[in-house]
Amino acid sequence: MKLAWLAALWIALVACSKPAQDEPAAKRTETKPEPAAVPATAPANDPVLAAMMKFRDRACACKDEACLSAVRDDMNKFSNQQALNPTVSPLGDAHANAMTAVSKQLTDCIVKVMSQ
C-alpha cells in the first residue's frame, strides 16, 4: 500500500513537471531545480502551485502515517476537483521549476515519514 501510494504520487508529480526539450534525457534526470525556484508564496494566478505548497507543508509537518493519510485524501479530493473543473496554471520554465521543486519536497517529506 505504501509503495503503491508513493508510486502513484511520483507519477502524478512527474506528469506535472516539464523537462527541458533541448537536453538529452540522461542529463535531464541529473539536473535539480535551484532552491530559489520555489517562491515563498504562490502567485495569485497559480492556485495549483498554491495547493501543492499547502500539501507539502502539511505533509512535512506529519509525524505518522495517519497524518499522511489525511493529506493524501485531501490531495485526492483536490485532484478530482481539478479533473472536473481544471484550473489553468501559468506555463513556462519558472512555473515548471517551482512545481518540480515543491513536488520533490513533498515527496521527500512523505518518504521520511513512511521510512520511520
Side-chain angles (χ1 to χ4, degrees):
M1 174 75 177
K2 291 180 192 178
L3 187 57
W5 187 68
L6 282 174
L9 176 63
W10 184 251
I11 290 169
L13 298 177
V14 169
C16 291
S17 67
K18 176 185 156 226
Q21 298 300 319
D22 57 340
E23 296 180 25
K27 188 171 183 180
R28 280 186 294 216
T29 58
E30 295 172 7
T31 60
K32 295 182 181 178
E34 295 293 322
V38 180
T41 59
N45 66 337
D46 198 350
V48 175
L49 180 58
M52 289 297 292
M53 292 172 81
K54 288 178 185 176
F55 293 135
R56 176 208 54 202
D57 294 343
R58 286 181 55 203
C60 290
C62 286
K63 303 292 183 212
D64 58 27
E65 291 182 35
C67 177
L68 285 179
S69 181
V71 175
R72 181 193 64 221
D73 291 345
D74 290 344
M75 287 178 69
N76 287 339
K77 288 177 191 174
F78 178 78
S79 177
N80 290 336
Q81 290 170 347
Q82 286 298 303
L84 296 174
N85 299 306
T87 303
V88 177
S89 290
L91 300 177
D93 289 340
H95 172 75
N97 289 342
M99 282 297 289
T100 300
V102 170
S103 298
K104 181 178 182 332
Q105 292 167 349
L106 172 63
T107 303
D108 290 348
C109 289
I110 291 168
V111 169
K112 180 180 176 183
V113 171
M114 296 185 87
S115 65
Q116 294 177 353

